[in-house]
Amino acid sequence: MTEFWHQLINGLKDTTWLEFIAVFSGIASVWYSKKENILVYPVGLLNTVIYIYISVKGRLFGEASVNFYYSVMSIYGWILWSRKDTVKHEVVLHITYSSGKEWVQQMLFFISFYVVIYFSLTWLKQAFAPEAIPWADAFASATAYTGMWLMAKKKIESWIWWIATNMASIPLYFIKGYVFTSVQFLVLLVLAVAGLAEWIKKEKTKPITH
């Protein structure tokens, strides 16, 4: 335990101001997502753009690819969440559960990305990314890809994938020396559990559409 705290304190001392900004904007983004507030996307873009730079600089190509994907999906989600009914001027997209067909789709989505990322990082590890842990990086990345895709569609199950991402990322980033980022994922894990509960509650009170 003493060694853990020593590593944590040293890691925090080594944290750059850019990483601090990325961490706080990441936490704020998830908070806005929990509240179903569209600010999740502009604030989230600040987080992802910074992490693309940090990840590439640290030769963490798996994490860089995830954050690039986050950036693209943030723009996509921003568009979807912004759409309003032309008559009532109310948002069109509401929180819903995934259907059985959508569950199959997201599992295939996850498996496909896991396989691609795993083999890509296995190859990159030999010459370009010795810091990579292919099986763990692939899991954290593929769950994040799936969660972000479902978040854009306001699917409750997105939070389940985020919980999996955060649980995998806490030890992953700590091992790689990004201690403050690891702490961020611990906070995000708590927010993801709270977000899941809040979206379930909101789904029960959503307006009935015909």
Side-chain angles (χ1 to χ4, degrees), residues 9 12 14-15 17 26 31 36 40 62 65 91 93 102 111 122 128 130-131 140-141 148 151 156 169 206:
I9 292 171
L12 290 175
D14 294 336
T15 300
W17 65 271
W31 175 261
E36 200 185 353
V40 56
S65 70
V91 292
L93 192 63
E102 289 170 330
I111 293 170
T122 299
F128 302 105
E131 302 87 354
S141 299
M148 192 67 185
M151 183 68 72
I156 288 174
S169 298
K206 71 179 180 181

Side-chain angles (χ1 to χ4, degrees), residues 2-182:
T2 302
E3 185 178 347
F4 168 82
W5 284 111
H6 179 71
Q7 187 174 351
L8 176 62
I9 292 171
N10 285 339
L12 290 175
K13 288 179 179 178
D14 294 336
T15 300
T16 64
W17 65 271
L18 264 181
E19 191 177 349
F20 273 110
I21 294 174
V23 167
F24 286 118
S25 60
I27 292 173
S29 175
V30 175
W31 175 261
Y32 283 127
S33 179
K34 173 176 171 289
K35 295 296 182 182
E36 200 185 353
N37 189 313
I38 201 167
L39 284 175
V40 56
Y41 292 114
V43 175
L45 278 169
L46 176 62
N47 169 271
T48 57
V49 169
I50 292 175
Y51 267 117
I52 290 173
Y53 171 77
I54 291 175
S55 298
V56 170
K57 186 178 180 181
R59 303 176 74 85
L60 304 175
F61 298 110
E63 287 83 351
S65 70
V66 169
N67 282 285
F68 176 75
Y69 173 81
Y70 279 173
S71 299
V72 174
M73 290 302 293
S74 289
I75 296 172
Y76 174 64
W78 199 343
I79 294 171
L80 290 184
W81 284 36
S82 298
R83 287 179 179 172
K84 292 186 177 181
D85 183 277
T86 54
V87 178
K88 297 181 179 179
H89 301 289
E90 298 175 349
V91 292
V92 176
L93 192 63
H94 298 288
I95 295 171
T96 57
Y97 284 98
S98 296
S99 64
K101 180 181 179 181
E102 289 170 330
W103 259 110
V104 172
Q105 290 175 340
Q106 60 194 261
M107 289 304 298
L108 291 174
F109 188 91
F110 165 73
I111 293 170
S112 298
F113 272 105
Y114 180 89
V115 171
V116 171
I117 296 170
Y118 174 81
F119 285 107
S120 297
L121 290 178
T122 299
W123 177 75
L124 286 169
K125 182 179 177 67
Q126 299 175 6
F128 302 105
E131 302 87 354
I133 306 173
W135 69 269
D137 284 321
F139 181 82
S141 299
T143 52
Y145 274 49
T146 310
M148 192 67 185
W149 174 49
L150 295 174
M151 183 68 72
K153 297 184 175 185
K154 287 193 180 180
K155 294 296 179 180
I156 288 174
E157 292 76 13
S158 62
W159 290 107
I160 297 174
W161 292 98
W162 286 129
I163 288 169
T165 299
N166 295 326
M167 289 180 69
S169 298
I170 291 168
L172 192 60
Y173 276 87
F174 190 86
I175 290 170
K176 293 180 179 182
Y178 292 88
V179 179
F180 197 52
T181 297
S182 179

